[in-house]
C-alpha cells in the first residue's frame, strides 16, 4: 500500500523554531541589489568610513523584504502560510496563515563599525505576553569592509519578551527613573496606535526627591518592581504629575539594555575576523583621529591605491 505523507502540524513556537534555523543560515548571504564602489584613493576611503553607516536604514528595509521572501520559500511552510512584511506595524515580519497566535519577528540591523548598536527596542511587555514575537538581530558589512556588496555577517534570534523585561528591569528605578507604558490606543487606526514605552528621568530638587521617595516607599516591598499593568502604571503617573521629569531621548538603545544574548552576540561579532583584522580592531582604526594611520590600514588590508585622475575620466 502507498503510504500517505504526514504533514507536520505547525504551532506558533514551531514556526518560530523553523524560521530561526533558516534565518541563522543567512550568515554570509550577499545582497545583489546594491554595490558600493571601491574608493579611488585612501583619502576617499577615509571619507567613506564616516558616512557608510547611513546605509543602515536602506539595508534594514532590504533585509526585511529578503527575509520574508526567503522564509516563505521554505518547504516547511508550504500550504500553511507565508511570511509578510508589515510597514507600518509591529512586528516587522509575521507569518500569515492558519497558525494562532500569529508568529512574528522584529528585525533589527546593526552596522558594527558604528559606535554602538543604535537600534532601539521600546515595545511594551504587553505585546509579548504569549511569546509569539522574537527579535532577529542582524549584523551586516560590505564584502570589503567599506565597499562592495553588503552581506550578513552574523544573526542572532531571541525572545522579544526577554528583551522587553531586561530593558524594563535595567532602566526602571523609581523615583529616579520611570518606564511608562503607552496609553490604550486600540480604537485608533493602525498607523496611529501606540506600542512604545518611554523612559523619564527625575529632574527635581533634593527635597522633591525625598518626597518622591516617601511616596514610592508607601507602595510597599514590591513598589520598585516594574509592571506594565494599569494599576502600577497609575502609581507611576502620580510621580509624573507631582514632580518634574524629563523624557530620556537615549532610552531603550539595544546596546544599553544589558540582555545576555544581545551581549553574547555583540561579543561574537566584534571578535569576528574580516579583511585581516577583527571587527573590534577595525572599529578602533576607523574611530582614530590619525588619518595617516587609518589610510595605511585601508591600503594594506583593502587594496586601496591611488588612481590617476586622468584614468577616471576615460
Amino acid at each position: 500500500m502507498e503510504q500517505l505523507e504526514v504533514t507536520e502540524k505547525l504551532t506558533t513556537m514551531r514556526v518560530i523554531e523553523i524560521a530561526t534555523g533558516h534565518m541563522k543560515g543567512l550568515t554570509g548571504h550577499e545582497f545583489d541589489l546594491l554595490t558600493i564602489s571601491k574608493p579611488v584613493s585612501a583619502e576617499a576611503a577615509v571619507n567613506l568610513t564616516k558616512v557608510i553607516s547611513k546605509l543602515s536604514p536602506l539595508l534594514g528595509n532590504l533585509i526585511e523584504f529578503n527575509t520574508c521572501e526567503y522564509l516563505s520559500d521554505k518547504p516547511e511552510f508550504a500550504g500553511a502560510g507565508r511570511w509578510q512584511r508589515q510597514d507600518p506595524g509591529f512586528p516587522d515580519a509575521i507569518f500569515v496563515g492558519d497558525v494562532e497566535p500569529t508568529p512574528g519577528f522584529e528585525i533589527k540591523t546593526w552596522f558594527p563599525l558604528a559606535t554602538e548598536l543604535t537600534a532601539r527596542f521600546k515595545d511594551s511587555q504587553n505585546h509579548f505576553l504569549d511569546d509569539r514575537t522574537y527579535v532577529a538581530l542582524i549584523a551586516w558589512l560590505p564584502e570589503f569592509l567599506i565597499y562592495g556588496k553588503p552581506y550578513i555577517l552574523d544573526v542572532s534570534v531571541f525572545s522579544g519578551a526577554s528583551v522587553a523585561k531586561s530593558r524594563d528591569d535595567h532602566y526602571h528605578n523609581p523615583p529616579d527613573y520611570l518606564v511608562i507604558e503607552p496609553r490604550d490606543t486600540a480604537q485608533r487606526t493602525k498607523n496611529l496606535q501606540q506600542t512604545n514605552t518611554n523612559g523619564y528621568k527625575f529632574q527635581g530638587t533634593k527635597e522633591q526627591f525625598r518626597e518622591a521617595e516617601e511616596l514610592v516607599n508607601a507602595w510597599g516591598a514590591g513598589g520598585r518592581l516594574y509592571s506594565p499593568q494599569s494599576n502600577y502604571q497609575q502609581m507611576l503617573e502620580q510621580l509624573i504629575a507631582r514632580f518634574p521629569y524629563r523624557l530620556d531621548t537615549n532610552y531603550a538603545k539595544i546596546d544599553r539594555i544589558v540582555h545576555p544574548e544581545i551581549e553574547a552576540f555583540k561579543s561574537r561579532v566584534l571578535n569576528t575576523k574580516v579583511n585581516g583584522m577583527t571587527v573590534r580592531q577595525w572599529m578602533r582604526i576607523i574611530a582614530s583621529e590619525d588619518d595617516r594611520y587609518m589610510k595605511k590600514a585601508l591600503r594594506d588590508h583593502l587594496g586601496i591605491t591611488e588612481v590617476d585622475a586622468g584614468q577616471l575620466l576615460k
Side-chain angles (χ1 to χ4, degrees), residues 229-248:
Q229 300 305 313
S230 59
N231 58 340
Y232 185 74
Q233 291 295 312
Q234 289 170 7
M235 293 160 65
L236 297 180
E237 288 176 2
Q238 295 177 33
L239 290 169
I240 293 281
R242 288 182 54 179
F243 304 101
Y245 283 84
R246 67 168 173 81
L247 181 67
D248 179 10

Side-chain angles (χ1 to χ4, degrees), residues 3 36 39 92 95 109 131 156 165 177 181 187 191 200 287:
Q3 280 190 324
I36 305 161
D92 296 314
F95 185 72
T109 56
D131 208 25
S156 187
K165 186 177 187 309
Y177 199 103
E181 293 287 317
Q187 300 306 312
N191 63 314
Y200 289 86

Side-chain angles (χ1 to χ4, degrees), residues 14 40 47 53 69 113-114 150 164 180 189 250:
R14 184 60 183 144
V40 298
N47 291 332
S53 64
E69 293 180 3
L113 296 183
I180 302 296
T189 57
N250 285 315

Side-chain angles (χ1 to χ4, degrees), residues 98-119:
D98 57 3
V99 178
E100 291 292 340
T102 302
F105 288 101
E106 182 72 357
I107 300 172
K108 303 292 185 183
T109 56
W110 177 33
F111 177 66
L113 296 183
T115 54
E116 65 176 352
L117 214 169
T118 55

Side-chain angles (χ1 to χ4, degrees), residues 197-218:
T197 58
N198 280 302
Y200 289 86
K201 175 71 174 174
F202 189 86
Q203 292 291 283
T205 64
K206 291 182 179 180
E207 178 59 34
Q208 287 175 316
F209 190 81
R210 283 193 290 269
E211 293 178 23
E213 275 196 314
E214 289 177 5
L215 178 57
V216 173
N217 289 337

Side-chain angles (χ1 to χ4, degrees), residues 7 22 36 82 109 114 137 142 144 183 207 213 218-219 222 230:
T7 303
H22 288 305
I36 305 161
R82 290 188 61 82
T109 56
L137 192 53
F144 300 106
R183 296 185 181 277
E207 178 59 34
E213 275 196 314
W219 297 347
S230 59

Side-chain angles (χ1 to χ4, degrees), residues 72-93:
S72 290
D73 287 341
K74 295 305 174 185
E76 296 96 327
F77 301 129
R82 290 188 61 82
W83 288 90
Q84 178 178 302
R85 181 174 181 262
Q86 296 197 118
D87 185 22
F90 173 87
D92 296 314

